[in-house]
Amino acid sequence: MSSCSLQSLVSVREFQSIHNFLFSTADPEMESTWEIDGWGDDWEIERMDVDSSGGKQATKGWMRECKVAISPNVDYMCISHQDKSVFLHNKSNASDGGSNSFEICWKGVLSEEENEEICYVLCLPLVSLKRTSHGSSEFICFMIGFTSGYLRVYTEAGCLLLSQIFHDTPITEIVCSTFDRWAHLSHGGAIEQKDEVTILHQDSTLVVVDGFSLFQTMRACRSQLAMAAASGTLAQEPPPLACRKWRLNLQSDTTSHVCMPMGEVTPFHRIMNYSLDHVDGQQGNVTLYATVGNAPFVAYYYADEGNTRPILSYVASVVANKLTKQASALISAASGWIKWGAQTATGSAPVPSEEVKKPQPKIAPSTALERHSGLPDTFRRGSKIVLAPGKRGLAALSDSLGRVCLVDLNTRSILRMWKGYRDAEVGFIRTYDDTPSHHRANTIRLSGTAKKLALFIAIYAPRRGILEIWSCIHGPRVGAFNISKHDRLLFPGHGMLGMNLEKSLGSQQMLQCCILTSEGNIKDIFIPFHLALSDSKSNKAHDVHLLKKIAQMLHTKTRDGEEILKLITEMRLCSIQKQALLKFLHTKRIGPTSFIKCISLLSDKYANGSKKEEKDFVRLLQVKQDLIEIYEQMSELNVEYKSPNRFTEWDSLSKKLASDLQLSENESEVAAKLMKKYKDASPSSTVRFQSQLDLSIDVAEFLACFSIEKDEELGYKVSIDEKKSQILGSFLFHSSLFGEVNSEQVVETIKKIKGISTQQKELLQICLLHWQEYECDVYGNHKKLEELINRLDWNTDDDQASLVWFDELKQQVISTSRYPLAAYITTLVIRSHLLSTKQQQQQTESKDESAENTEEAGDEKTEDKLEWETLCLDSEKWNGFMKQMEDSLALNTCIMLGNKILQTPTTSKDAATTADLCPLVSVHDLLTNGTGHPSELIASVLSKSHIHPSLVGMTSSLRDDCDVVGEDDLNEHQQKFIDELIYCRNHRFPFSLSPNFLHSHCFWEEMVKWNKNLQDLTGMKRGLVHLRLISCQPQIQRGLALMAWSTFIHKRILALGRLVEKVGKAPKERLCVKEIGVRDRHMSEFCECASELLQIIADADSDQFPQPATTSNNKLIHGSSEFQSVESNWLDIGGKESIVEMARKQSDVNYKLIQHLMNLIFVLRSTMEFSLRGVKPMTQLFDTFGRKAFEHELTSYDVHLPDCDVTTHTVLGARRKFINNIIETAVMKMTQQSHHDGGDQVNLNDLKEWVVTCIHMSGEFNLSKQQAHIHYIDLLYNHGLDELGAEELEGVSDPEVIASKLLLTVGQRFAFYLNHISPDVGVLIFAQMPTRVSTFINSQELDGLKKADVPLKDTLELAMKVSSILPDFDGEDSLAYQVVEALQAALDA
């Protein structure tokens, strides 16, 4: 709200019944008895009769005769009259819709002595100490002052908590001072605040009760009362309260007072006070008591804290009473025993102890407090003084002459005086600035928040019936209300007792000032903070606060446009009002009606302004109003929009394009074909339904799309915000591009925007961007786009400017578009527009040539001819750009078909996510990313779609002639992709998508893919297949392999070597994954792929590399046709080098270093394949030079390789042991394979290949291949693999060496046979043997034979082969023949 108001806070129920009770003449004791005992609950009629007969008629002014108090948390209220009181409690009424109202919780008579009446009431809540109710009140204390001088404290149920008399004169006033959080923080806690209650008596006696003592006593009394009620006993009398008692001298008829702690008075102020007032300066903490009365009108008293000890009044009397009671009880008990209390001679009865008169309480004396200073006024008598909240030391007082004075207690001076307020009631209201701010002066900072405070004074003049709100100290009147003359202004002036800074953080806002009406309604006085700045000197501060308030209101969910409009109109400065208007206009969910109303009000206000700032503001308002009117007109046009039907006229699309866009027959057929293929390849999710499209936008969003700048000629210039182009395009152009709304109406509406004529390019750009965004709806709507372009190009007189605009649009919008179909149609439309312009230019030229023949006409003809030539040249550029768009559309069609493959779930893999799909490409991307960018895109699709590498280079002729590997496994989407790839290669990118180009990029893409997931070696294997399929380009093969080796393989091979060296065996999976990234079970395959990569490098013959030649433009051309050129439409291509060009630039390799690394890979692969132990490849199998050579690149020639001729015997022995270990492990695996159903032929062949490799590597390790081969054959026969041994025996170049070893194997087998047959047969066979043979058989040891139970027939065959191999005239030759005869005899036996 922007002005002061009286807000209904709570109402009082049964207000009339309260009056009837307080002013009834019925017997109060009987009525009290009814209330206590429950009488009268069913006697409504009799009560009414009593009220009507005995009670006096209710008057409207009865509230002014009562003592009224309300608690600061608005929970309780007390209304008292004479000796009666009514306690009311604030409750929520479910029947009234949850509204709150005060209901009577207790009523009755409180006087306990004769002629005792109530003088003053106070509602004091006590803060709760419970953690669950932090900062809330625990219970309420009704403090009642009586004419007898007694102070009694009651609960809400009317139960007496405390009754104590401090002085025997009537109580005039009770004032409570409690903790004030804002006051404490505003002064930094410099002045200590204490809770205390001050009681003023009629004879100027002031009693000060300590708040802490009162708080503890009230809690103890409350607990004692509850315990007594539960046990049925009487509550114990509470201890007396600690207090200080002052006698205020030198002032008569004191009526009201306030107290303010002053803190410790400095020496300077003590001297100053002495010099001014001739009163000794106080020392220590000082409290100021300001009183009003008569002679003087205002008196000031300073009390030193601590100088006078607090008087414990009533202590002596309590002790005396207790001693008296105990003595009386003892005497009464003894009298019954010793016959005390018997009748005397006179016969008089004893006086009962209850009739003994109670002793009067002892009143403690008071301490005199001299008046420090005052404001003497003989004819003026003070009525009431109230202290302002906070610690500024302000107080307001009313007097008998109808004045209200604002007093500064610090300087003891009157700051301001108001006249004409007889019997005035005053109160203070403190308001807070709730607008957020980070840097403020004079603020209160608490828990990271800051608040400004403003103080107002409320003056209620009951005789005039007016309530006025004034700004302190010198501010104007900010509000006035006509209220009843019988209302009451309630100002509690205190908070909850026992509050501190920590508890105040969670406490509710306390009531400051309110009005109690004569109808029983309580109204809160609401004052906005900005009214503190209402004077003429605070215009800027006033408007800045309102601006912050508006900004805060605009950030809420529920925004009241009328309230914000009211705040804007209340501003005074034009500059700040402009800021507020802009904030208001950029806020959503308010509506154009409120905007136009606000603009109209401000326009009327500044229509006759003379300042330049005001005139500019009026122009800005006019521009904003025009924009809002255009918004409303466009909203009406968009209402007519209907979603178009799906395009189905594909058969006639070619003819329609030719007629509408001036295309040739061939061009229109190509365009129609490309559109149809792109539509089929497009995903179905791009279709938008009518429910998904909403052309309506908020008016604030529309206004935010335009930026308004000052212009010398136009006043203000309207420009379009580029960031809001998407919203603006949908709102302005969608209905005319894809609906039936007339484009002429749209353009004419846009032209009404002042200064928009200079924004042609921006409007065209927004239109084209929106056209591209809705690419799925462009089919068949090209004519609407052409109409919009023709109408938006309204500067038709300047053809050169139009050409520049369209060329900029081509570079900024069309060529960078990732919507290829929409961009292609846009190109066709603009080309058609330029052709139409050229035709009009030709017609104009022909007319000029026939009409004008003068020299001036000839000059114009020359100028027109130059413009026509420029237009023709630009048309040719657009023709070339159209070809590029066709190529881009075909390539993107191929990419989308590939994405469809990825989106189709397979049995082994779910459908790819959006992040896995290959993005579409623009013409700008193709022109700036190098010649290899098309191949990169297709390679990315091929890598993710898992199409067989042999299908990459497939052509139409090869497809027709023979079957291609993997073609039968293609699904529908893969088949369409391959067809489109062949089309792009044949007709669009014959060089960029050539087979070798594709294989090269596929290889690199697969290697990159494997590098991201090292656990899966499929990518590396597929990449090597692609690398092998590069034909007739060994230089490219070697370059790609070199790049892959140095980038992905080299460091991992060295890491594996160091790891094997460290552990001395094949490492486990954890170490392999940690150091290399590859699992242990895949490590052998990884080494095999690395070896194959090195083999491809080694196989590349540098003599077959093409020799570069230099062309006329100094560009290098290579021998192969597919690497020597680019497509004719892409001659101006630039950007990064392709992977193929980088491969060509690779240096020559060191073949010896390649072989050296292959030896290391063989060792590592063997170790991992056969899980060998005790292997130290770096230190045992290679010397120092060999280890250092591993670190060098393959192109390094300055590496020192080890010399095979000088290899140490230690290294040779380790190598021989390693080779033999591999062969033995392989033979053992062969044996295991042969024992399981003949063995797996594939694994058996792999093991044979391993042995062949070992034999070959023996030569590379400077070992004898023949020894390795002989060792292999010997192991085969030793393990009983005679068939494999016979195969290998045929390939031995020197069989005599192996024959001697095999003869021993024959002897061992024969000995084993003889040892395991019948003894009789064995003796017979031995008897038939020659002595030499029997000696040879007996000398054999069977421990070295791995398999001895070989059939005797196989042993005989082996012996016969050995005898045939051994040379004649050799000693072993005759032995072999004799062994054959012995075996034959044994076989026959």
Side-chain angles (χ1 to χ4, degrees):
M1 301 180 69
S2 59
S3 60
C4 295
S5 62
L6 294 178
Q7 299 178 352
S8 180
L9 188 63
V10 66
S11 62
V12 180
R13 298 185 66 183
E14 302 179 2
F15 197 59
Q16 185 61 35
S17 65
I18 296 176
H19 163 264
N20 295 337
F21 170 73
L22 294 176
F23 291 89
S24 65
T25 58
D27 186 3
E29 295 183 1
M30 182 63 66
E31 188 169 353
S32 177
T33 305
W34 287 357
E35 289 295 331
I36 296 173
D37 298 339
W39 285 75
D41 292 345
D42 299 327
W43 299 80
E44 300 291 341
I45 299 177
E46 293 186 8
R47 283 195 174 189
M48 291 177 62
D49 293 338
V50 171
D51 289 20
S52 60
S53 61
K56 53 185 178 180
Q57 296 294 327
T59 60
K60 293 185 178 180
W62 67 273
M63 283 294 301
R64 305 202 59 79
E65 302 177 18
C66 299
K67 306 294 186 293
V68 184
I70 188 171
S71 64
N73 54 1
V74 203
D75 281 346
Y76 290 92
M77 190 169 66
C78 175
I79 304 176
S80 301
H81 179 66
Q82 293 181 355
D83 58 348
K84 300 176 184 177
S85 285
V86 178
F87 298 162
L88 300 102
H89 181 34
N90 190 354
K91 294 182 179 180
S92 177
N93 300 319
S95 59
D96 248 353
S99 62
N100 290 358
S101 62
F102 275 110
E103 297 181 0
I104 299 174
C105 58
W106 184 87
K107 62 180 179 178
V109 177
L110 296 180
S111 61
E112 297 183 4
E113 297 184 3
E114 186 178 0
N115 298 327
E116 188 181 45
E117 292 186 359
I118 297 173
C119 301
Y120 202 88
V121 296
L122 180 72
C123 297
L124 182 61
L126 273 67
V127 70
S128 175
L129 300 181
K130 299 178 181 178
R131 294 186 178 181
T132 56
S133 55
H134 198 70
S136 61
S137 63
E138 184 174 3
F139 63 93
I140 188 74
C141 290
F142 294 96
M143 305 185 72
I144 312 295
F146 293 89
T147 56
S148 61
Y150 269 95
L151 172 69
R152 296 189 180 97
V153 183
Y154 298 90
T155 66
E156 65 274 10
C159 299
L160 181 64
L161 288 177
L162 176 70
S163 177
Q164 187 168 346
I165 184 170
F166 301 99
H167 197 64
D168 56 358
T169 60
I171 293 177
T172 303
E173 188 180 35
I174 304 173
V175 176
C176 181
S177 300
T178 56
F179 176 82
D180 187 355
R181 175 177 60 179
W182 304 113
H184 176 82
L185 294 174
S186 63
H187 290 76
I191 302 176
E192 183 181 2
Q193 278 189 320
K194 292 183 178 180
D195 292 349
E196 62 181 11
V197 175
T198 56
I199 306 168
L200 180 64
H201 288 262
Q202 196 171 17
D203 59 349
S204 300
T205 300
L206 186 66
V207 178
V208 182
V209 180
D210 179 58
F212 179 75
S213 174
L214 178 63
F215 180 76
Q216 298 295 339
T217 302
M218 291 300 99
R219 287 180 52 84
C221 291
R222 180 87 176 190
S223 301
Q224 195 64 233
L225 185 64
M227 294 172 60
S231 60
T233 59
L234 295 177
Q236 296 182 4
E237 187 175 356
L241 293 173
C243 66
R244 295 188 303 274
K245 190 173 179 181
W246 305 104
R247 184 177 68 255
L248 306 178
N249 294 334
L250 301 179
Q251 186 184 35
S252 61
D253 195 15
T254 304
T255 58
S256 183
H257 78 288
V258 292
C259 64
M260 185 181 71
M262 302 293 292
E264 185 174 358
V265 181
T266 63
F268 172 77
H269 286 91
R270 288 201 300 271
I271 297 173
M272 184 187 68
N273 294 334
Y274 180 78
S275 64
L276 293 176
D277 304 317
H278 302 285
V279 180
D280 292 337
Q282 296 84 0
Q283 297 182 2
N285 293 327
V286 176
T287 301
L288 169 64
Y289 297 104
T291 61
V292 294
N294 194 10
F297 165 53
V298 182
Y300 300 98
Y301 300 88
Y302 289 90
D304 297 343
E305 300 287 343
N307 290 344
T308 304
R309 292 187 178 183
I311 301 172
L312 297 179
S313 63
Y314 204 48
V315 173
S317 61
V318 169
V319 173
N321 289 340
K322 289 200 175 227
L323 290 175
T324 304
K325 289 181 180 180
Q326 293 293 336
S328 300
L330 290 173
I331 293 172
S332 300
S335 64
W337 176 52
I338 60 176
K339 302 301 181 181
W340 284 7
Q343 291 184 359
T344 61
T346 60
S348 60
V351 179
S353 60
E354 289 80 2
E355 296 182 4
V356 177
K357 189 174 181 180
K358 295 177 60 176
Q360 292 293 331
K362 184 177 180 181
I363 306 299
S366 59
T367 303
L369 190 63
E370 300 298 330
R371 188 186 68 198
H372 179 276
S373 58
L375 298 175
D377 193 336
T378 306
F379 302 101
R380 191 185 304 272
R381 177 180 179 273
S383 301
K384 180 72 174 179
I385 183 172
V386 294
L387 184 66
K391 293 194 175 181
R392 298 176 62 182
L394 298 179
L397 57 92
S398 58
D399 58 24
S400 58
L401 300 182
R403 267 66 166 173
V404 174
C405 301
L406 183 65
V407 183
D408 186 355
L409 299 180
N410 293 307
T411 60
R412 304 186 298 279
S413 60
I414 296 179
L415 302 177
R416 191 171 187 177
M417 181 180 289
W418 291 269
K419 299 180 181 180
Y421 298 93
R422 290 188 179 274
D423 300 330
E425 297 178 359
V426 295
F428 287 95
I429 302 173
R430 183 171 53 186
T431 61
Y432 309 94
D433 183 9
D434 54 356
T435 57
S437 178
H438 299 289
H439 303 284
R440 289 177 174 166
N442 301 324
T443 55
I444 297 174
R445 303 185 182 277
L446 179 61
S447 302
T449 62
K451 288 189 177 183
K452 284 184 178 180
L453 303 179
L455 189 63
F456 299 88
I457 183 172
I459 305 176
Y460 169 50
R463 295 194 178 189
R464 296 165 54 191
I466 187 172
L467 173 67
E468 295 181 350
I469 310 297
W470 293 79
S471 178
C472 293
I473 300 174
H474 302 293
R477 189 177 76 173
V478 298
F481 306 94
N482 291 320
I483 60 177
S484 174
K485 296 181 180 181
H486 310 292
D487 294 350
R488 293 290 300 272
L489 178 66
L490 303 181
F491 176 62
H494 60 86
M496 289 187 286
L497 189 67
M499 183 66 72
N500 54 32
L501 180 61
E502 181 182 359
K503 296 176 184 176
S504 65
L505 298 178
S507 63
Q508 63 182 11
Q509 182 67 34
M510 296 289 104
L511 177 68
Q512 300 188 77
C513 203
C514 66
I515 293 293
L516 174 60
T517 66
S518 57
E519 290 81 12
N521 295 322
I522 297 177
K523 295 183 178 180
D524 187 19
I525 304 174
F526 173 77
I527 306 175
F529 178 80
H530 68 272
L531 295 182
L533 309 171
S534 300
D535 58 324
S536 59
K537 298 180 181 179
S538 304
N539 288 338
K540 185 176 181 180
H542 174 270
D543 287 0
V544 168
H545 174 78
L546 287 182
L547 182 64
K548 294 179 181 179
K549 186 71 175 178
I550 291 171
Q552 185 180 19
M553 295 175 66
L554 293 177
H555 281 83
T556 58
K557 293 183 179 179
T558 57
R559 298 161 186 166
D560 189 355
E562 295 298 327
E563 183 65 25
I564 297 174
L565 177 60
K566 190 175 181 180
L567 292 177
I568 293 176
T569 54
E570 287 183 2
M571 289 183 171
R572 302 166 185 171
L573 299 180
C574 178
S575 58
I576 302 180
Q577 211 162 22
K578 177 182 175 182
Q579 299 178 35
L581 175 68
L582 295 179
K583 286 180 177 290
F584 184 51
L585 295 180
H586 291 169
T587 305
K588 298 179 182 179
R589 302 194 306 273
I590 292 182
T593 305
S594 298
F595 289 167
I596 292 178
K597 184 177 179 181
C598 180
I599 292 173
S600 301
L601 292 175
L602 295 179
S603 299
D604 296 341
K605 179 179 179 180
Y606 295 104
N608 300 323
S610 58
K611 298 181 181 179
K612 182 178 182 300
E613 182 183 15
E614 295 176 348
K615 293 180 180 179
D616 292 341
F617 187 39
V618 171
R619 296 191 191 99
L620 176 64
L621 292 174
Q622 186 61 43
V623 173
K624 292 291 185 180
Q625 187 171 1
D626 294 342
L627 289 175
I628 295 174
E629 291 175 356
I630 291 172
Y631 166 81
E632 292 179 338
Q633 295 176 12
M634 285 303 305
S635 298
E636 293 177 0
L637 292 176
N638 288 335
V639 171
E640 303 175 4
Y641 170 77
K642 294 182 179 179
S643 181
N645 297 325
R646 184 175 298 180
F647 182 76
T648 57
E649 301 175 2
W650 293 103
D651 297 336
S652 59
L653 179 60
S654 176
K655 296 180 180 180
K656 189 174 182 180
L657 291 174
S659 60
D660 294 343
L661 302 179
Q662 303 184 37
L663 299 176
S664 64
E665 183 179 356
N666 184 31
E667 290 174 343
S668 62
E669 291 179 355
V670 171
K673 182 179 179 181
L674 290 174
M675 291 181 188
K676 182 66 170 64
K677 293 170 67 175
Y678 185 85
K679 198 272 178 186
D680 295 337
S682 300
S684 58
S685 59
T686 57
V687 178
R688 291 183 176 89
F689 298 95
Q690 185 174 1
S691 59
Q692 296 176 332
L693 180 64
D694 187 9
L695 298 183
S696 62
I697 63 173
D698 194 89
V699 61
E701 290 183 288
F702 179 77
L703 294 176
C705 295
F706 300 93
S707 58
I708 302 175
E709 302 174 355
K710 287 187 177 181
D711 187 85
E712 296 180 358
E713 299 178 358
L714 302 175
Y716 278 97
K717 176 183 176 182
V718 180
S719 59
I720 300 172
D721 190 354
E722 296 181 0
K723 298 179 180 179
K724 305 290 185 178
S725 58
Q726 183 177 3
I727 300 174
L728 190 62
S730 175
F731 183 71
L732 293 179
F733 300 113
H734 189 88
S735 58
S736 56
L737 282 175
F738 305 105
E740 300 300 330
V741 177
N742 191 353
S743 60
E744 183 178 1
Q745 296 179 357
V746 174
V747 175
E748 291 301 324
T749 303
I750 296 173
K751 284 185 178 180
K752 295 179 182 178
I753 303 176
K754 190 176 181 180
I756 201 64
S757 58
T758 59
Q759 305 293 318
Q760 286 178 265
K761 176 188 170 184
E762 286 77 5
L763 287 174
L764 282 171
Q765 184 174 350
I766 291 173
C767 178
L768 296 180
L769 288 175
H770 184 70
W771 168 266
Q772 294 174 10
E773 183 182 356
Y774 285 81
E775 188 182 48
C776 59
D777 298 330
V778 301
Y779 302 102
N781 291 322
H782 54 271
K783 192 64 178 177
K784 299 176 183 178
L785 177 63
E786 186 178 17
E787 292 177 0
L788 263 177
I789 291 177
N790 292 334
R791 297 186 187 280
L792 289 174
D793 187 16
W794 51 66
N795 289 337
T796 54
D797 297 337
D798 191 355
D799 296 331
Q800 188 64 32
S802 296
L803 293 177
V804 174
W805 291 338
F806 285 121
D807 188 63
E808 291 178 355
L809 287 173
K810 178 180 69 175
Q811 300 298 331
Q812 298 175 4
V813 180
I814 306 176
S815 64
T816 59
S817 174
R818 296 294 179 88
Y819 302 96
L821 177 61
Y824 175 57
I825 296 178
T826 304
T827 305
L828 297 179
V829 170
I830 295 178
R831 175 178 173 271
S832 174
H833 175 73
L834 294 177
L835 289 176
S836 300
T837 306
K838 183 174 72 172
Q839 292 173 1
Q840 294 175 3
Q841 186 74 20
Q842 290 175 348
Q843 293 175 3
T844 304
E845 283 186 4
S846 61
K847 292 179 181 179
D848 292 342
E849 289 178 357
S850 60
E852 298 180 4
N853 296 319
T854 60
E855 182 178 357
E856 182 179 356
D859 294 339
E860 292 180 358
K861 174 185 174 183
T862 303
E863 185 178 352
D864 292 342
K865 184 176 181 180
L866 292 175
E867 292 182 0
W868 181 81
E869 289 178 355
T870 303
L871 188 60
C872 292
L873 181 61
D874 195 77
S875 299
E876 292 301 323
K877 290 182 180 178
W878 279 92
N879 289 335
F881 184 68
M882 182 185 69
K883 295 296 183 182
Q884 291 179 344
M885 290 302 303
E886 290 176 354
D887 295 343
S888 172
L889 184 60
L891 181 63
N892 282 289
T893 302
C894 188
I895 293 174
M896 286 198 300
L897 288 173
N899 289 337
K900 274 194 172 183
I901 300 174
L902 303 181
Q903 290 176 326
T904 304
T906 60
T907 55
S908 59
K909 181 181 178 182
D910 295 335
T913 60
T914 305
D916 297 330
L917 301 180
C918 182
L920 300 184
V921 64
S922 64
V923 172
H924 180 266
D925 295 334
L926 295 175
L927 289 172
T928 57
N929 286 303
T931 57
H933 194 55
S935 294
E936 291 179 5
L937 297 171
I938 301 300
S940 177
V941 176
L942 288 169
S943 175
K944 297 174 183 178
S945 58
H946 303 288
I947 295 178
H948 196 274
S950 60
L951 298 175
V952 173
M954 184 171 57
T955 60
S956 301
S957 58
L958 180 62
R959 191 175 187 181
D960 297 336
D961 295 341
C962 59
D963 295 333
V964 181
V965 178
E967 185 179 7
D968 297 335
D969 299 333
L970 297 178
N971 55 33
E972 180 182 359
H973 296 301
Q974 292 174 337
Q975 189 67 49
K976 290 181 178 180
F977 171 75
I978 294 297
D979 294 340
E980 188 64 25
L981 178 59
I982 294 174
Y983 169 79
C984 290
R985 179 186 297 139
N986 294 339
H987 300 89
R988 299 296 171 186
F989 297 96
F991 303 107
S992 299
L993 295 181
S994 62
N996 284 349
F997 247 86
L998 273 180
H999 282 305
S1000 301
H1001 286 90
C1002 286
F1003 163 73
W1004 194 256
E1005 187 70 26
E1006 294 288 357
M1007 293 300 296
V1008 172
K1009 179 181 175 181
W1010 167 77
N1011 189 54
K1012 295 178 180 178
N1013 184 16
L1014 298 174
Q1015 308 296 338
D1016 187 7
L1017 293 175
T1018 307
M1020 180 185 285
K1021 294 178 181 178
R1022 288 172 55 86
L1024 291 175
V1025 175
H1026 282 290
L1027 188 61
R1028 287 288 188 186
L1029 289 175
I1030 298 177
S1031 60
C1032 303
Q1033 286 295 325
Q1035 184 184 14
I1036 304 300
Q1037 281 183 313
R1038 192 192 69 179
L1040 291 173
L1042 269 174
M1043 294 166 60
W1045 169 263
S1046 60
T1047 306
F1048 307 112
I1049 308 298
H1050 190 192
K1051 292 182 180 180
R1052 291 187 172 91
I1053 289 294
L1054 295 181
L1056 178 60
R1058 288 190 288 267
L1059 183 59
V1060 175
E1061 176 74 21
K1062 180 180 179 180
V1063 300
K1065 61 179 180 177
K1068 299 298 182 181
E1069 180 176 358
R1070 182 183 61 83
L1071 292 175
C1072 291
V1073 173
K1074 179 181 178 181
E1075 300 295 334
I1076 299 97
V1078 182
R1079 296 178 182 270
D1080 57 340
R1081 58 178 177 270
H1082 298 153
M1083 197 64 72
S1084 177
E1085 298 180 31
F1086 166 69
C1087 294
E1088 182 182 5
C1089 294
S1091 179
E1092 185 177 356
L1093 195 66
L1094 290 178
Q1095 190 63 46
I1096 292 175
I1097 299 173
D1099 292 342
D1101 189 0
S1102 58
D1103 296 335
Q1104 298 179 4
F1105 292 174
Q1107 298 298 324
T1110 305
T1111 60
S1112 59
N1113 56 358
N1114 295 326
K1115 288 186 178 180
L1116 294 178
I1117 297 180
H1118 296 271
S1120 177
S1121 61
E1122 64 175 335
F1123 289 115
Q1124 70 182 12
S1125 178
V1126 296
E1127 292 78 10
S1128 59
N1129 297 330
W1130 304 91
L1131 295 177
D1132 54 348
I1133 197 169
K1136 64 181 181 180
E1137 290 182 327
S1138 67
I1139 196 70
V1140 175
E1141 294 171 349
M1142 296 171 62
R1144 282 202 199 97
K1145 295 181 180 180
Q1146 297 299 315
S1147 305
D1148 293 336
V1149 297
N1150 188 340
Y1151 289 95
K1152 292 183 179 180
L1153 181 58
I1154 291 175
Q1155 185 59 50
H1156 188 59
L1157 284 167
M1158 291 181 69
N1159 295 343
L1160 173 63
I1161 294 175
F1162 166 75
V1163 173
L1164 299 177
R1165 183 189 174 194
S1166 304
T1167 303
M1168 300 304 299
E1169 178 69 24
F1170 297 105
S1171 300
L1172 302 180
R1173 294 179 175 271
V1175 181
K1176 298 284 186 179
M1178 296 296 187
T1179 57
Q1180 293 181 355
L1181 303 181
F1182 299 98
D1183 55 11
T1184 304
F1185 295 111
R1187 290 193 295 271
K1188 292 182 179 180
F1190 293 139
E1191 305 289 340
H1192 291 268
E1193 295 292 337
L1194 295 179
T1195 56
S1196 176
Y1197 280 90
D1198 57 349
V1199 58
H1200 192 291
L1201 293 172
D1203 190 356
C1204 298
D1205 298 334
V1206 295
T1207 306
T1208 61
H1209 293 288
T1210 304
V1211 174
L1212 290 176
R1215 290 177 177 178
R1216 186 179 299 107
K1217 180 179 178 182
F1218 179 75
I1219 294 294
N1220 292 340
N1221 192 6
I1222 298 174
I1223 295 175
E1224 290 173 2
T1225 307
V1227 172
M1228 290 177 61
K1229 288 182 175 294
M1230 291 179 186
T1231 305
Q1232 296 174 2
Q1233 292 290 335
S1234 63
H1235 292 167
H1236 295 84
D1237 299 332
D1240 189 351
Q1241 193 64 29
V1242 177
N1243 294 334
L1244 195 60
N1245 293 334
D1246 292 341
L1247 293 173
K1248 290 180 181 180
E1249 290 294 332
W1250 266 105
V1251 175
V1252 172
T1253 304
C1254 288
I1255 295 173
H1256 171 74
M1257 292 303 299
S1258 297
E1260 299 294 338
F1261 282 156
N1262 201 18
L1263 300 175
S1264 173
K1265 293 183 180 181
Q1266 183 177 356
Q1267 290 183 0
H1269 198 187
I1270 291 173
H1271 181 64
Y1272 171 53
I1273 296 174
D1274 183 35
L1275 287 175
L1276 289 176
Y1277 280 105
N1278 196 3
H1279 286 76
L1281 303 175
D1282 291 14
E1283 294 182 1
L1284 297 178
E1287 295 177 2
E1288 295 295 332
L1289 192 59
E1290 296 177 357
V1292 178
S1293 58
D1294 189 8
E1296 290 84 1
V1297 180
I1298 188 62
S1300 300
K1301 290 189 175 184
L1302 294 180
L1303 183 59
L1304 294 177
T1305 302
V1306 171
Q1308 290 173 351
R1309 290 182 181 181
F1310 198 13
F1312 179 83
Y1313 173 76
L1314 293 177
N1315 291 335
H1316 289 79
I1317 62 174
S1318 175
D1320 298 335
V1321 178
V1323 172
L1324 180 61
I1325 294 175
F1326 265 105
Q1328 295 176 358
M1329 287 183 187
T1331 304
R1332 185 179 180 184
V1333 174
S1334 60
T1335 303
F1336 173 72
I1337 295 299
N1338 290 327
S1339 64
Q1340 299 301 318
E1341 296 181 359
L1342 303 181
D1343 296 337
L1345 192 63
K1346 299 299 180 181
K1347 185 177 182 181
D1349 56 340
V1350 181
L1352 193 60
K1353 182 179 179 181
D1354 295 342
T1355 305
L1356 177 60
E1357 292 180 0
L1358 177 59
M1360 294 174 64
K1361 289 181 180 179
V1362 171
S1363 63
S1364 63
I1365 293 173
L1366 290 174
D1368 297 337
F1369 309 108
D1370 189 356
E1372 291 183 348
D1373 178 42
S1374 59
L1375 177 61
Y1377 281 112
Q1378 292 177 358
V1379 170
V1380 170
E1381 293 176 355
L1383 286 171
Q1384 186 65 44
L1387 184 62
D1388 295 340

